Amino acid sequence: MNALPDIRLETARPTLDSRPLEKRVGLIALATDHTSEVDFRRMVASERIGVYVVRIPYANPTTPENLRKMQPSLSAGAALILPDEPLDAICYSCTSASVVIGDAEIEQAIHAAKPGVPVVTPPMAGVRGLNAFGVKRISILTPYTVETSRPMATYFAAHGFHIESFTCLGFEDDREMARITPASLVELARNVTHPQADALFVSCTALRAALAVPGMEEAIGRPVVTSNQASAWNCLRLCGDETPRPEFGRLWTKPLAQ
């Protein structure tokens, strides 16, 4: 081995930025999730905004009971995202679990680790997205079973929406949900959107629905709001990014509506 050089300690301190990136978005994803992280990298991450991901335990099938089991992991998961550093937004990326556990309970669990951070859940973002269009009559499409879909119907009805039609696909495994092709979702949107509905909400962060939004909107001639599309939009708006990006659907031309 060649002789090692002396190691010199530079005494001049380099200049530090206040943050490596200007804005920080945390993402709590399921262990089985194939889609949320990819969508947030595509729609949220940039040279100005960082996306920082943690995964928490989850086991199929997708039932209300199994979804509720994630609640105790939320605080520990949030604590692992840039420990002791503030975030500009944090998203718990599970639509069905959010309606089963409850937005307030999720916010409380995350705030135990990240006090004061704005918390986004996909159904909450969906409501805000639909409100941005001023619509009240909607159709809903989910990949879930009837049992898992019922809390979703209750959630949107409780937020003042008249549900003209609700269609579910009967899937129990979120890994299979992620394999549904975007082209199939376009055709489904065409078939399940009620004539009297002013917009379509497509639930589930596992679905690659964000990729299908432009095609779905063209097929039905109305706004389409999906879990990941709305969550990403909501997080960007919380970061102060108001840039219209119509390639992600009509929602991405709208300001945030609470």
Side-chain angles (χ1 to χ4, degrees), residues 11-12 31-32 64 67 81 107 126 141 145 162 179 190 210 256:
T11 57
T32 53
L67 293 165
I81 303 177
E107 184 175 82
L141 171 65
T145 62
H162 181 84
R179 291 166 53 196
R190 194 192 316 274
L256 178 63

Side-chain angles (χ1 to χ4, degrees), residues 30-51:
L30 279 57
T32 53
D33 187 341
H34 285 271
T35 310
S36 298
E37 186 171 359
V38 176
D39 278 348
F40 266 64
R41 297 290 182 202
R42 183 167 54 90
M43 294 189 286
V44 178
S46 69
E47 292 182 358
R48 191 177 77 88
I49 301 174
V51 174

Side-chain angles (χ1 to χ4, degrees), residues 49-62:
I49 301 174
V51 174
Y52 305 93
V53 184
V54 68
R55 289 176 176 261
I56 61 174
Y58 175 69
N60 283 291
T62 301

Side-chain angles (χ1 to χ4, degrees), residues 104-121:
E105 289 76 11
I106 290 168
E107 184 175 82
Q108 182 180 16
I110 290 174
H111 280 171
K114 292 288 188 183
V117 63
V119 175
V120 174
T121 71

Side-chain angles (χ1 to χ4, degrees), residues 130-131 133-138 159-164 198-199:
L130 293 166
N131 285 341
F133 292 104
V135 301
K136 286 300 179 185
R137 310 182 78 86
I138 63 172
H159 280 82
F161 294 97
H162 181 84
I163 303 172
E164 295 285 354
D198 298 314

